[in-house]
Amino acid sequence: MRTWLVAAVLASPVVAQQAHWSLRGAAARVRLDGPETHWLQGPATEASLPPGGYAVHFGADAEGKPRSLALVVPAGATAAIATGPAATARAFAVPPADLRDYRVVAALAPGDEGEVGVAARCSADGDGYLFVWDRTGGAFRLERSLGGERRLLARVDGPRGDRQPHTLALQVEGFRLTAAFDEADVLQQLDGGLASGGIDAGPWPWGRVAAPVRVDVHPVARPRASAAVVVGEQAARWHAAPTAGPGHWYGLELALERPHPLLPRTAAGFEPWLLLPPAAPVVLAADWRGSLGPGGCGAVPLDGNLTAELRWPSLPGLRRQVVLVRALVASPDGAVLAEHTPAVAFCLP
C-alpha cells in the first residue's frame, strides 16, 4: 500500500505536465506534429501529449481535406479540435486510365535511403508529373516529364528517411498541383503542361525513383474548414481555418450544447430564410466592443487563419455549461453567409 502511494505521488506531476487532446469530426486520421509526432483517428478520439507548439494536419475524407492549424498547448491545458462530419474517403475501384482531376495516395514501405515517388497524368509516351521524396538527401521534388524532357517544377527541404511507414499524395486539379507528405501539404505549383492521364500508363522515365508499395486514386479533396479551442485555467483561445478568402467577414457565436428539435438546414449548414428568428439555441454573439474577447469578429486575414481570445461571460446561469463556439463567415459585402466553421465544444468554468 505504501509503495503504491509513493508511486502515485511521483507520477502525479508528470500527469499534470501533459496536455490533453480531443478530436471530433470526420472518419479520417489527423497528424499532430510538435514535441512528439502523434496520430489521432477520427471521428472521435483523445490523447495526452507533452505541451508545446503543434502543427495539426488533417487527412482527406469523403467531403474534402480540412485545412491545417497551428496550436500552442500549455501544460495542463485541453485542446479540442473539430471538423465537419464526413465518411472515410473512397478510392476508385478501378483507376481511370485517362482522367483530368484526381488525387493519388501512395503508401510507402519503411526505408531510410533512396528516392521514392508517386506519378499522375502519365501517358504511354513517358509524359507525367512526379512527386518524389529523396530520403537520403532529405528533400521533396515536383517534376514534369514532357516530350522526353524532365523539368524540376519545385523543391523544398524535407525529413530524411526512417523506419516508419509514410504516405505521399499528389493531387492534380486543373493547373494546380498539390503534393502532401503524411497529410501535410509540402509543395504547390501551377502548371499547364499536362491536361490528363493515368497514374502508370507506361515505363517510368524517372531513373532510379522507386514506386510505392500501394497506390490508390481518390476524387479531388477540396479544402474544408477546421477549428480548435485551447482551454487553460482562466481563458481559452479559439483557432479556425475557413475556406473563405481574405475580404470576408466573420463573427463568433456561442450556443448551448443541449437537445433541441431537428432544424432544417441548407447545403451550407444554415437555417433557411424564413423571416423568423433563428431557432438554434444561440446564447451570445461577438460584437465590435469585444464582449467575447479580442478577435471575436473582423475581416478574414491574408493567410486565412482566424484566432480569438475567449473571455468567460460573467453570467451565473452559464457556469459549468458546455457551450459550442463557431464563426459565421459572410461575403465581403455582408449580404450572404458564405460558411460556418465547425462547432467546438468546451465547458465554461
Side-chain angles (χ1 to χ4, degrees), residues 59-99:
D61 53 54
E63 300 296 328
K65 188 178 187 302
R67 294 187 57 211
S68 297
L69 297 169
L71 309 178
V72 177
V73 188
T78 297
I81 55 180
T83 66
T88 304
R90 297 292 185 181
F92 292 110
V94 178
D98 189 22
L99 188 65

Side-chain angles (χ1 to χ4, degrees), residues 53 120 216 220 232:
D216 293 316
V220 167

Side-chain angles (χ1 to χ4, degrees), residues 137-282:
F140 297 112
R141 300 196 309 271
L142 189 59
E143 300 180 1
R144 182 192 67 196
S145 176
L146 180 60
E149 178 184 356
R150 288 179 56 180
R151 179 178 179 183
L152 177 65
L153 300 179
R155 182 192 180 280
V156 68
D157 292 338
R160 296 182 183 273
D162 53 33
R163 290 298 175 179
Q164 300 297 320
H166 296 283
T167 59
L168 297 179
L170 177 58
Q171 178 167 296
V172 287
E173 182 182 13
F175 290 171
R176 185 178 299 277
L177 312 176
T178 304
F181 172 76
D182 283 351
E183 315 302 355
D185 292 341
V186 294
L187 286 172
Q188 289 190 341
Q189 185 71 24
L190 296 178
D191 187 84
L194 301 170
S196 63
I199 62 170
D200 192 9
W204 275 31
W206 312 109
R208 297 184 178 181
V209 178
V213 295
R214 177 181 173 181
V215 175
D216 293 316
V217 182
H218 297 253
V220 167
R222 292 183 171 83
R224 294 216 298 148
S226 60
V229 173
V230 179
V231 183
E233 294 183 359
Q234 299 295 331
R237 190 159 190 86
W238 170 81
H239 302 258
T243 61
H248 287 73
W249 299 91
Y250 75 94
L252 288 180
E253 66 175 15
L254 299 182
L256 290 181
E257 187 184 35
R258 63 181 182 185
H260 56 78
L262 293 176
L263 304 175
R265 301 281 189 180
T266 65
F270 299 108
E271 296 181 31
W273 183 254
L274 300 175
L275 298 179
L276 294 172
V282 176

Side-chain angles (χ1 to χ4, degrees), residues 51-129:
Y54 284 84
V56 183
H57 302 296
F58 298 89
D61 53 54
E63 300 296 328
K65 188 178 187 302
R67 294 187 57 211
S68 297
L69 297 169
L71 309 178
V72 177
V73 188
T78 297
I81 55 180
T83 66
T88 304
R90 297 292 185 181
F92 292 110
V94 178
D98 189 22
L99 188 65
R100 176 179 173 84
D101 299 331
Y102 53 91
R103 179 181 179 87
V104 187
V105 181
L108 309 182
D112 53 10
E113 60 182 15
E115 295 185 344
V116 62
V118 58
R121 289 184 180 169
C122 300
S123 70
D125 298 330
D127 297 341
Y129 292 113

Side-chain angles (χ1 to χ4, degrees), residues 4-24:
W4 179 85
L5 288 175
V6 172
V9 171
L10 292 177
S12 58
V14 177
V15 175
Q17 292 301 314
Q18 295 289 89
H20 183 72
W21 291 75
S22 67
L23 167 67
R24 300 294 184 273

